[in-house]
Amino acid sequence: MDVETWPGFPAVQGEMADRLRAHEWGATPLGPIECWPQSLRTAVDLMLAARHPVYIAWGPELTSLFNDGYIPILGNKHPAALGKPCAELFAEVWHEFQPLVTATMAGEAQHFVDRPVALAGRPGLPMSWFTFSWTPLRDEAGRIAGIYCSATDTTEKVLVEQALRARSERDLRRSQTERERQRRLYEAILTNTPDLAYVFDLDHRFIYANEGLLRMWGRTWDEAIGKTCHELGYPDWHAAMHDREIEQVIATRQPIRGEVPFAGTFGRRIYDYIFVPVIDADGRVEAVAGTTRDVTESRQAEEALRESEARFRVMADAVPQIVWITDAEGRTEFFNRQWSDYTGVRYEPTTAAGVAANFVHPDDAEVTMTRFEEARRTGGSFLVEHRIRSKDGEYRWFLVRGEPHRDSSSGEIVRWFGASVDIHDRREAEAALRESEARWRGLFGRMQEGVEVDELVYDADGRAVDVRYLEVNPAWERQTGLPRETVVGRRMGEIFPAEEVAFWTEAFARVAETGKAADIERYVAPLGRWYEVIAYPFEPGRTAALVLDVTVRKAEEERRALLMREVDHRAKNALAVVGAALRLTRAPDVPTFQRIALGRISALARAQTLLAQDRWRGADLRTLVEGELAPFVGEVGPRVEVNGASVVLPPGAAQPVAMALHELATNAVKYGALSVATGRVSVSWRFDDEALGRLRLRWAEASGPPVDGPPLRRGFGSRVIEDTIRRQLGGEASLTWDAGGVACEITVPLWNAGDGGAAAQYGDGAERESAAGHAGDSLARAEQHVRDAEQGVARQRLIVEGISEHRHPRALAEARRVLAALQQTLQLALHHLRRERQMRGLDPWDGSHGH
């Protein structure tokens, strides 16, 4: 039950005040009583304070409220009527009054006198008569929110009048002749008497009284005519007053007017009267005629108006805003106390132009009057912001709003009601906010890190299903390659594939729901870049993210990881080759073993050094040949001839070729051309014309000791050459013994010469796998180039789709056609590379091999 009202709730005692406090308002459209708007509270205050019947209908259903004086009107509908919709409460007459209610809610006040109403709930009264007024009630926004009804039950009066009228008609029929004479005699007087008419003779006796006066007295013609006021029961003071006034009229021959209360058959009423002399043909006063009008309702209305105006002034003075009223031309009729308190000037009638000239800032005066004249011309609201000078000489900003009040019959504007609200502090706060936003925008635009602000998009079940870009900074555009105008306001699902949308939607939703930041690293395939995204909760359902392009960093990390794997791989290969060389070395004694082993290991070291110098991308063949011959002949000179094009041996081929050259040079020094001063060695190479990627290297000795033919037994050097060339590299090696010296033909397929080292010969499974991987490096790199190109095409297609279709339709169509053709070409190239892998017996590339 609502027991709380509001501060200042009327302290009046009465049934309806108690019922208002106790009613269950939370169950009505008006809501809890403590939450009622000030406009409704003020209307209720007036209603409860009124001594006459008052009814209020408020809100979208016109919920009913009324005071104690209205209870008799409702009859047995009370107390259930409180809080009911107006249409339900007065259902029996709603068809008659609904148009009037609609007109009142449209701003047209209503007033009715003695209107018959077939109101239910009043036993014995199938028809009632009322004098009432309906006034529109406005809320704080100036909209009409209800109706204020001030009513008087005139049923009894109307019934009495009807009865008197009936009796008068009977009397009239009985004395028709006399009435006709009287009518002729007093016709002139009767035309001037709207209510009561009478005539005094010079002795202050009534010689005529109209029916209204007789009804007021409650007497017949015969009972009244010929009697004085005192004889008719007037109080002594009242009768004496009229006697003096009659004498004054007779003496001065001038009318006299007054107002007096009188308790007649209608109760205590207030009457306005006038006495005038009746002059005869000789210019003498022969009688005194009078007319009297019942002004009780008008005086009560005037008093109510004065009270209402007093309450309005109190209310207007209580609000912190400046409240003002002008007529239709802009002449001021009212300013509340706040005007004088602020300006320091006592209110005096002036005009809108005078206020603008004397109090409004000079820079704002012209626009103020322009807006006011425009409102007068169009009949719309008057709205302007201007500065008003205070009593301290300070100008402060005010929001000024005025609404026209129209005449209910003509529709013409008769007044302007307005208020001026101090918004100076708000404007300064807004300016500070704009400055802060400008600084933030500046920082936002100058940041080197990408920043995006996103909003989660939810489905009907409240699940996050997408992300909408609200803002991105220039750094974000640079890092993603996506222009701001193609993403801001759009959903991620309109830009990226479903896989990306699902990942980021889930990630951002988790941040928004948990309130915890998240640091995410992800390769965004459509953009072909690695990103580190630090997402923070921003507002309900929104996140802000710092976006960093870490592609270079990730590449460096990958290169470092690859280098570590490569070092580990090369170390294993080198150890395997050294171990094998040591195991296969045969010698009669330790010094010889040391010399042979040291030479072979040195050959491996020289090849290793060449590979390291070129970061294991390969070894220059000429440098390798000269390096292997140098320990035996010093600088390559007349005794050694080296011929061949520039060739870079793959890492896997450098060490085997170096071992073969070392063995040939060792044999030449011990037994062949380099064992004598006149001997020469020629080393040459070329690519095979019949087999793509196959290298042919020839070692030929001349002018050495005579050679009788092949040796009787196969030496270690021959086995080393054969094993390293044939088994490790899949090549061929042949030795011939001519009379002039030994010749060796070596054929190496470079496309299959990975970095396997000696693993093929010595059975290391891990090394065999690595060799196969490096054999596919060139295809892997080619595939990666194709994929990079595909990602570039995808980015361009995103940019094209973000451009308005109306700006460049032909250019957009051509761009789409070219990009589609390029995409098909890249897919065809990728298909051919995969077929090449299958033809070579390699597994499809999964990214685990390659550099």
Side-chain angles (χ1 to χ4, degrees):
M1 175 183 294
D2 294 320
V3 295
E4 295 295 329
T5 54
W6 59 79
F9 185 90
V12 297
Q13 300 300 317
E15 177 183 351
M16 291 313 302
D18 295 337
R19 289 187 179 276
L20 276 171
R21 295 186 186 97
H23 193 73
E24 197 65 58
W25 293 110
T28 72
L30 299 186
I33 192 170
E34 65 271 18
C35 299
W36 287 3
Q38 183 59 49
S39 51
L40 176 55
R41 297 180 182 184
T42 301
V44 171
D45 291 348
L46 296 176
M47 176 189 75
L48 293 177
R51 295 180 179 271
H52 57 279
V54 176
Y55 167 87
I56 292 176
W58 186 274
E61 293 186 11
L62 295 176
T63 303
S64 299
L65 305 100
F66 49 90
N67 65 359
D68 291 2
Y70 201 82
I71 294 175
I73 295 177
L74 293 171
N76 58 23
K77 291 183 179 182
H78 175 74
L82 185 63
K84 278 191 175 183
C86 181
E88 180 181 347
L89 179 59
F90 301 107
E92 67 276 10
V93 294
W94 185 247
H95 65 282
E96 176 185 354
F97 283 84
Q98 183 179 13
L100 300 176
V101 170
T102 302
T104 305
M105 291 301 291
E108 297 179 14
Q110 310 291 328
H111 180 69
F112 304 94
V113 176
D114 294 339
R115 182 182 178 101
V117 183
L119 199 61
R122 293 165 62 89
L125 292 174
M127 180 65 70
S128 302
W129 286 262
F130 298 95
T131 295
F132 58 96
S133 297
W134 287 359
T135 304
L137 292 175
R138 298 180 182 270
D139 60 16
E140 284 73 9
R143 295 185 296 267
I144 296 175
I147 299 173
Y148 187 94
C149 172
S150 176
T152 300
D153 188 348
T154 61
T155 303
E156 182 179 353
K157 184 195 78 168
V158 170
L159 293 176
V160 169
E161 288 178 347
Q162 289 176 349
L164 290 174
R165 196 176 300 115
R167 189 179 67 178
S168 176
E169 289 174 357
R170 289 193 302 272
D171 293 340
L172 186 62
R173 285 192 298 269
R174 286 195 302 265
S175 58
Q176 187 68 33
T177 303
E178 182 64 20
R179 290 291 299 247
E180 284 295 319
R181 187 186 67 81
Q182 292 177 357
R183 184 187 63 80
R184 291 192 300 272
L185 179 62
Y186 299 112
E187 184 176 3
I189 300 174
L190 291 175
T191 57
N192 294 316
T193 56
D195 292 309
L196 309 179
Y198 44 87
V199 178
F200 296 102
D201 63 13
L202 298 182
D203 294 327
H204 307 175
R205 297 182 181 276
F206 287 98
I207 59 175
Y208 172 79
N210 70 350
E211 289 299 321
L213 181 57
L214 293 173
R215 285 195 301 272
M216 183 194 76
W217 288 334
R219 296 176 183 270
T220 65
W221 174 271
D222 294 335
E223 293 173 341
I225 298 304
K227 292 185 172 60
T228 65
C229 290
H230 190 272
E231 293 171 340
L232 289 172
Y234 281 59
D236 292 345
W237 67 267
H238 195 166
M241 179 184 71
H242 283 334
D243 287 341
R244 290 193 301 272
E245 292 171 337
I246 293 170
E247 288 298 324
Q248 182 178 343
V249 171
I250 295 172
T252 63
R253 305 175 63 175
Q254 296 294 323
I256 191 170
R257 185 169 185 172
E259 187 173 292
V260 65
F262 184 80
T265 58
F266 300 150
R268 184 177 176 81
R269 311 291 290 175
I270 300 174
Y271 295 93
D272 177 42
Y273 63 90
I274 184 170
F275 294 169
V276 295
V278 179
I279 308 299
D280 64 9
D282 298 328
R284 293 175 300 198
V285 176
E286 64 175 356
V288 174
T291 60
T292 298
R293 176 172 296 174
D294 187 341
V295 295
T296 306
E297 280 77 15
S298 63
R299 294 297 179 265
Q300 290 176 343
E302 290 171 0
E303 180 63 24
L305 179 60
R306 284 192 293 273
E307 291 181 3
S308 175
E309 288 178 347
R311 287 193 294 268
F312 168 76
R313 182 172 292 277
V314 171
M315 181 181 66
D317 287 342
V319 298
Q321 295 83 22
I322 296 173
V323 178
W324 50 266
I325 302 173
T326 75
D327 65 9
E329 303 300 322
R331 291 181 289 268
T332 62
E333 296 181 349
F334 172 79
F335 268 107
N336 69 343
R337 187 178 61 198
Q338 303 303 330
W339 169 259
S340 299
D341 290 347
Y342 177 77
T343 62
V345 177
R346 183 178 179 181
Y347 166 68
E348 293 182 359
T350 181
T351 63
V355 172
N358 297 321
F359 297 96
V360 176
H361 193 283
D363 294 342
D364 305 331
E366 182 178 355
V367 68
T368 298
M369 292 309 300
T370 300
R371 296 279 180 85
F372 182 64
E373 294 301 328
E374 180 181 358
R376 290 183 59 204
R377 178 175 54 82
T378 63
S381 299
F382 166 48
L383 188 64
V384 71
E385 290 185 10
H386 63 207
R387 287 161 288 182
I388 302 177
R389 187 182 67 249
S390 71
K391 58 187 175 184
D392 300 325
E394 174 192 8
Y395 281 96
R396 293 180 64 83
W397 282 99
F398 283 79
L399 171 63
V400 183
R401 183 184 184 93
E403 294 293 338
H405 175 64
R406 299 177 182 274
D407 181 87
S408 58
S409 57
S410 67
E412 295 293 325
I413 296 175
V414 294
R415 281 182 179 80
W416 290 89
F417 292 83
S420 302
V421 182
D422 189 330
I423 59 170
H424 192 81
D425 295 336
R426 190 195 76 187
R427 282 183 64 106
E428 288 189 341
E430 289 173 350
L433 179 60
R434 287 193 296 271
E435 182 180 354
S436 175
E437 287 181 348
R439 288 196 299 269
W440 182 84
R441 288 282 178 185
L443 175 63
F444 189 70
R446 290 192 298 271
M447 288 179 65
Q448 297 302 309
E449 298 82 2
V451 178
E452 65 179 71
V453 179
D454 307 303
E455 177 181 65
L456 290 164
V457 178
Y458 297 91
D459 63 10
D461 297 327
R463 294 175 301 194
V465 295
D466 207 335
V467 175
R468 180 180 286 106
Y469 291 103
L470 298 181
E471 189 58 84
V472 298
N473 70 341
W476 188 94
E477 296 181 80
R478 293 192 297 272
Q479 293 188 15
T480 62
L482 300 176
R484 178 182 181 278
E485 58 270 18
T486 65
V487 295
V488 171
R490 299 178 67 190
R491 295 186 178 190
M492 189 179 287
E494 301 176 63
I495 302 171
F496 290 104
E499 180 183 359
E500 288 295 326
V501 176
F503 175 84
W504 291 111
T505 299
E506 180 182 358
F508 289 163
R510 189 181 306 112
V511 170
E513 292 167 4
T514 64
K516 296 180 180 179
D519 193 338
I520 306 164
E521 281 193 4
R522 179 174 173 84
Y523 180 74
V524 181
L527 301 180
R529 310 290 292 176
W530 275 93
Y531 293 95
E532 180 181 5
V533 177
I534 306 173
Y536 302 90
F538 179 52
E539 292 175 348
R542 293 182 177 182
T543 59
L546 196 65
V547 180
L548 306 174
D549 185 344
V550 295
T551 305
V552 174
R553 191 195 77 194
K554 296 294 289 187
E556 289 297 330
E557 291 175 354
E558 181 64 24
R559 281 194 289 272
R560 286 195 296 271
L562 177 63
L563 179 60
M564 295 302 296
R565 292 194 299 271
E566 195 71 33
V567 168
D568 180 64
H569 171 67
R570 300 303 174 187
K572 289 180 181 179
N573 281 355
L575 291 174
V577 173
V578 170
L582 293 177
R583 286 195 302 272
L584 295 176
T585 299
R586 300 291 185 270
D589 51 49
V590 173
T592 303
F593 177 86
Q594 290 177 339
R595 178 177 55 78
I596 296 172
L598 182 60
R600 290 171 175 165
I601 293 173
S602 296
L604 294 175
R606 285 191 292 273
Q608 194 86 357
T609 299
L610 285 176
L611 289 173
Q613 289 175 348
D614 204 22
R615 298 190 179 184
W616 287 88
R617 288 191 293 266
D620 180 69
L621 180 54
R622 178 180 293 277
T623 304
L624 183 67
V625 171
E626 292 176 350
E628 290 303 324
L629 293 176
F632 302 100
V633 297
E635 295 294 332
V636 175
R639 300 189 65 191
V640 177
E641 180 181 0
V642 179
N643 291 308
S646 176
V647 175
V648 176
L649 294 177
Q655 288 183 340
V657 171
M659 285 288 292
L661 290 172
H662 176 76
E663 294 303 325
L664 289 171
T666 300
N667 287 335
V669 169
K670 291 171 57 178
Y671 311 112
L674 297 182
S675 64
V676 297
T678 59
R680 298 189 305 280
V681 173
S682 172
V683 182
S684 61
W685 59 86
R686 64 182 177 81
F687 283 104
D688 195 331
D689 295 334
E690 298 179 357
L692 184 64
R694 187 179 295 274
L695 178 70
R696 290 186 176 276
L697 184 144
R698 176 177 175 77
W699 172 284
E701 300 180 15
S703 303
V707 177
D708 297 332
L712 296 178
R713 66 182 179 86
R714 185 164 172 260
F716 176 74
S718 299
R719 292 200 302 274
V720 170
I721 293 172
E722 181 179 324
D723 289 343
T724 56
I725 299 303
R726 182 177 294 113
R727 295 184 182 178
Q728 289 190 57
L729 302 182
E732 298 177 359
S734 61
L735 291 168
T736 58
W737 285 265
D738 298 331
V742 176
C744 179
E745 291 281 349
I746 297 174
T747 303
V748 177
L750 295 183
W751 61 267
N752 197 33
D755 57 354
Q761 176 181 352
Y762 302 115
D764 189 330
E767 294 302 320
R768 285 196 301 272
E769 180 184 351
S770 180
H774 283 289
D777 266 0
S778 59
L779 290 175
R781 285 193 293 271
E783 284 188 27
Q784 186 60 47
H785 287 316
V786 173
R787 293 183 187 278
D788 290 343
E790 281 187 315
Q791 292 166 1
V793 171
R795 285 195 296 272
Q796 292 301 317
R797 295 184 76 168
L798 285 175
I799 293 173
V800 168
E801 292 302 323
I803 298 175
S804 173
E805 189 73 26
H806 302 292
R807 293 175 59 187
H808 309 290
R810 294 184 179 177
L812 287 174
E814 182 64 15
R816 293 191 184 101
R817 187 187 66 78
V818 171
L819 289 172
L822 183 56
Q823 184 73 29
Q824 293 176 355
T825 302
L826 292 172
Q827 291 175 352
L828 184 60
L830 195 60
H831 174 71
H832 284 302
L833 288 170
R834 288 170 178 165
R835 288 190 58 190
E836 182 69 15
R837 280 187 165 278
Q838 294 172 357
M839 291 175 63
R840 296 194 178 190
L842 299 173
D843 291 334
W845 182 67
D846 61 1
S848 61
H849 305 296
H851 302 287

